[in-house]
Amino acid sequence: MNTSEFSLNFQAFVISTVLSFLSVHSSVVEKPIFKWLNKQTERERSLLVQKHSLKTEQASINMVDEFAKYSKIQRQINSIDGKLEDIRGNKPTNNILVQLGFTYGVKFVLVVMLIVLSLYYRYTPVFYLGNKINLMPFTHFICYPNDINCVSFYFWVMCSAAVSRMLQML
């Protein structure tokens, strides 16, 4: 086995393991992107600062003794809440179709990548087990379409995905 075959085998091993893990745990990819899309704008931050200052001012006022002043501050807070809802409602990630499309879109891309790589690496064993190990009842299942005692890309993707699902249950 020369070094180029070993690097290709190592490459297949790493790529299949990472993509299998990501296909099961796609939220690892989705959450940072959603967080980035939902980050607060400068306008939102300034409105939240105004709202916080009005709330602290309102907390210092006795509602019974100064009801008019308390109500005026409450109307300002309600106005700020309305503006915040308008700003947050215009974000694209608040649409349920966008969220579902993005969630399943990431999974779809990862699965398509696994399929393409399965075709590309179909005759490349991920690693060789050696002659001392005999996997007799399962040899053809583990090795297909490679030689005996080689772990195929297909089998390694299935094993990696199964281990990822087991880790997900923990």
Side-chain angles (χ1 to χ4, degrees):
M1 184 184 284
N2 61 27
T3 58
S4 66
E5 285 182 48
F6 178 74
S7 66
L8 185 62
N9 293 347
F10 181 73
Q11 183 180 10
F13 175 78
V14 170
I15 289 172
S16 63
T17 305
V18 169
L19 285 178
S20 298
F21 180 81
L22 287 177
S23 68
V24 173
H25 301 283
S26 60
S27 62
V28 171
V29 176
E30 297 165 15
K31 284 183 183 179
I33 294 173
F34 272 132
K35 196 173 193 177
W36 178 75
L37 290 173
N38 279 329
K39 69 180 178 180
Q40 289 181 345
T41 62
E42 189 62 39
R43 175 100 170 110
E44 274 181 291
R45 277 186 239 124
S46 67
L47 287 172
L48 287 171
V49 167
Q50 288 177 3
K51 180 179 174 181
H52 181 67
S53 65
L54 288 172
K55 286 265 191 190
T56 55
E57 182 182 345
Q58 188 181 37
S60 67
I61 296 173
N62 187 350
M63 184 176 163
V64 175
D65 295 341
E66 301 178 58
F67 182 75
K69 189 174 183 181
Y70 186 91
S71 297
K72 183 179 177 183
I73 293 173
Q74 185 61 47
R75 284 192 299 273
Q76 290 174 343
I77 292 172
N78 292 345
S79 171
I80 290 174
D81 284 340
K83 290 176 187 175
L84 284 171
E85 285 299 317
D86 288 342
I87 291 171
R88 291 177 182 154
N90 291 333
K91 289 189 177 180
T93 55
N94 289 342
N95 187 348
I96 191 73
L97 292 175
V98 171
Q99 288 178 350
L100 286 174
F102 187 75
T103 300
Y104 289 109
V106 168
K107 289 182 183 189
F108 178 75
V109 166
L110 290 170
V111 168
V112 166
M113 286 175 65
L114 277 172
I115 291 170
V116 168
L117 289 172
S118 293
L119 294 174
Y120 181 75
Y121 288 119
R122 79 181 132 210
Y123 296 114
T124 306
V126 176
F127 54 87
Y128 180 70
L129 295 174
N131 293 330
K132 293 181 180 179
I133 298 174
N134 188 2
L135 306 170
M136 187 48 205
F138 308 107
T139 302
H140 295 292
F141 179 68
I142 293 171
C143 300
Y144 180 79
N146 300 313
D147 295 332
I148 294 175
N149 288 344
C150 293
V151 176
S152 69
F153 188 86
Y154 307 118
F155 184 75
W156 187 252
V157 167
M158 288 190 305
C159 289
S160 297
V163 169
S164 295
R165 282 189 206 94
M166 288 170 65
L167 289 174
Q168 188 178 25
M169 288 190 281
L170 295 177

